Amino acid sequence: MATPAYQVAHLSPILRPDIINERNGKRNLLGREVNGTPLYCRSLQGIRIIQAAAGAGRTMLISDAGQVYAFGKDSFGEAEYGVQGTKLVTSPQLVESLKNIFVVQAAIGNFFTAVLSREGRVYTFSWGNDARLGHHTEPNDVEPHPLLGTLENIPVVQIAAGYCYLLALACQPSGMAVYSVGCGLGGKLGHGSRTDEKHPRLIEQFQLLNLQPVVVAAGAWHAAVVGQDGRVCTWGWGRYGCLGHGNEECESVPKVVQALNDVKAVHVATGDYTTFVVSEDGDVYSFGCGESASLGHNAIADGQGNRHANVLTPQLVTSLKQVNERVVQISLTNSIYWNAHTFALTESGKLYAFGAGDKGQLGIELVNNQTERGNPERVDIDLS
């Protein structure tokens, strides 16, 4: 799971590429001097981590026993620009308030955190002022609150958090469905308007498209879904072409990405204003903001040799094709902050990184005052 300044790899014991700030020499969120290479988290020795969620100011790790460990800022909420929290927790600490909930997934959005239980219940921390997530809480509240409303009796199988909103993939008797709650700015809730929703609301457009959602992704300002038939839908704020429809228009309901009609997708990942799609053959397509070369299109992209060009429709990431490995998962920056970077995991467990690396977030060494990596480079860890 990628975040602007660092990357957390999913394995046990967990690996943590350092956070580097060469301009001011600050120590990182892990409480030590840094060098930009992956290091083992010794305090988790013997604990098997199955999922990691990285936010702008904190990280949450889920063990195979359903326990949650967190480090970074001591708050599950986050004020704008990440100033919330009075101190840093520099090593993973068990989240006591979740000890009685068997957690299988965590998602960190700005201003709030969400977790999913083994039973399919969703719980949220913070950002409940004015009942914006269906409950009233203070920013520093450390108690989980069940997500009330229509999902109380419908099991959820996946959650995704973006900027002030949450998506939930739920299992209904009629099939899979997506619900959304939170801020509707840019149409990212998918209901045909830009109004907020204080309780989870079914996104009805998938029924009209005859599409069964199986994977959901929440970017900062836009969202995406992969259907059982391999179709990809995107919606929300279309800035920089991140929706893949050939323009920068907003879409307030899910819309099929026509340029991927000949591709059967199995995975999708969304970031600030970027989207990546992985096909069943292991090919990777990307579109949206070309900041920091994080789309992987290092070749001439705009006819003038600009690898930072924005991409309005899906393009094959040929630089990943050249590693001769089948890609199975993409993780990329998901925040309102820049330092965009991307990770690609292959079927054999190899991890490749590209994009901004000025804070050590790629887990590879940059030389000659480089600040980014245009071509994918293998990170020296084995995730097999």
Side-chain angles (χ1 to χ4, degrees), residues 28-266:
N28 64 19
L29 291 180
L30 307 179
R32 49 180 163 73
E33 297 298 333
V34 296
N35 58 19
T37 57
L39 299 176
Y40 281 104
C41 181
R42 301 294 180 185
S43 63
L44 291 173
Q45 196 85 27
I47 299 174
R48 184 171 183 266
I49 301 299
I50 61 171
Q51 193 248 337
R58 65 199 173 282
T59 301
M60 299 182 73
L61 311 173
I62 314 300
S63 76
D64 61 352
Q67 295 184 314
V68 181
Y69 299 83
F71 56 97
K73 294 183 179 178
D74 67 330
S75 172
F76 291 107
E78 195 171 327
E80 195 161 9
Y81 305 120
V83 299
Q84 185 67 48
T86 59
K87 65 179 181 179
L88 292 181
V89 178
T90 58
S91 63
Q93 302 293 319
L94 182 68
V95 180
E96 296 288 339
S97 61
L98 289 170
K99 286 178 65 174
N100 295 324
I101 300 173
F102 195 110
V103 175
V104 295
Q105 188 195 350
I108 300 175
N110 292 77
F111 302 98
F112 77 99
T113 298
V115 297
L116 176 64
S117 76
R118 178 171 55 182
E119 295 76 25
R121 294 295 304 276
V122 180
Y123 298 82
T124 61
F125 295 87
S126 193
W127 204 58
N129 295 348
D130 300 321
R132 281 178 287 192
L133 289 176
H135 56 74
H136 296 271
T137 60
E138 296 300 320
N140 290 324
D141 192 356
V142 296
E143 293 297 323
H145 293 263
L147 191 62
L148 304 178
T150 54
L151 287 178
E152 290 184 68
N153 299 309
I154 301 176
V156 173
V157 298
Q158 185 200 348
I159 55 175
Y163 187 78
C164 305
Y165 75 108
L166 179 72
L167 300 179
L169 180 63
C171 184
Q172 298 188 140
S174 59
M176 303 303 292
V178 179
Y179 289 77
S180 62
V181 61
C183 172
L185 187 65
K188 60 181 182 282
L189 295 185
H191 304 302
S193 69
R194 301 185 183 186
T195 57
D196 298 348
E197 297 290 340
K198 293 185 177 181
H199 297 280
R201 179 181 171 186
L202 175 68
I203 299 178
E204 299 177 353
Q205 184 68 11
F206 295 117
Q207 296 174 340
L208 299 176
L209 294 172
N210 193 27
L211 185 144
Q212 282 273 345
V214 293
V215 179
V216 63
W221 301 99
H222 74 292
V225 153
V226 173
Q228 190 174 36
D229 58 4
R231 285 184 291 170
V232 176
C233 288
T234 58
W235 67 96
W237 199 357
R239 193 176 183 186
Y240 305 119
C242 64
L243 300 184
H245 302 306
N247 54 48
E248 297 187 48
E249 300 297 321
C250 294
E251 298 290 343
S252 59
V253 296
K255 181 178 179 180
V256 175
V257 181
Q258 298 294 338
L260 292 172
N261 278 351
D262 296 329
V263 174
K264 185 173 183 179
V266 294

